[in-house]
């Protein structure tokens, strides 16, 4: 519904003068983290550069904005 679409935030990132937005539920905080490789069983999901373990023990995925832009560009070709 329209009310569901209006919730959340957009993270804007860009490269070479082109910008894209990623809709997220929200942000918790900005932190410096150590990015680790994903477990080999997970493979290498497109647009994900690794993971980090937060101080409270939660694991979060680290997105790769450059790879996400490439994925979006390739998707535009096939639409």
């Amino acid at each position: 519904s329209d009310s569901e679409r209006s919730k959340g935030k957009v993270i804007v990132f860009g490269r070479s003068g082109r910008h894209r937005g990623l809709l997220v539920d929200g942000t918790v905080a900005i932190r410096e983290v150590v990015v680790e490789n994903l477990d080999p069983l997970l493979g290498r999901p497109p647009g994900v550069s690794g993971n980090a373990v937060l101080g409270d023990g939660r694991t979060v995925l680290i997105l790769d904005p450059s790879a996400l832009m490439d994925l979006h560009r390739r998707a535009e070709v096939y639409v």
Side-chain angles (χ1 to χ4, degrees), residues 10-15 18-23 63-70 72:
V10 176
I11 297 175
V12 178
F13 53 92
R15 178 181 72 193
R18 295 187 56 122
H19 294 85
R20 295 287 181 262
L22 180 65
L23 181 62
L63 300 179
D64 179 352
S66 182
L68 290 172
M69 294 223 19
D70 289 341
H72 184 266

Side-chain angles (χ1 to χ4, degrees), residues 4-77:
E4 290 175 356
R5 285 188 218 136
S6 65
K7 295 179 183 177
K9 297 182 179 196
V10 176
I11 297 175
V12 178
F13 53 92
R15 178 181 72 193
S16 303
R18 295 187 56 122
H19 294 85
R20 295 287 181 262
L22 180 65
L23 181 62
V24 297
D25 293 332
T27 56
V28 176
I30 297 174
R31 299 184 175 132
E32 289 188 26
V33 296
V34 176
V35 179
E36 302 173 354
N37 291 328
L38 292 173
D39 187 298
L41 292 174
L42 296 174
R44 297 208 32 99
V48 177
S49 62
N51 70 287
V53 179
L54 302 179
D56 63 5
R58 290 182 297 157
T59 300
V60 295
L61 293 176
I62 306 299
L63 300 179
D64 179 352
S66 182
L68 290 172
M69 294 223 19
D70 289 341
L71 284 170
H72 184 266
R73 184 183 49 78
R74 281 184 267 157
E76 287 178 333
V77 172

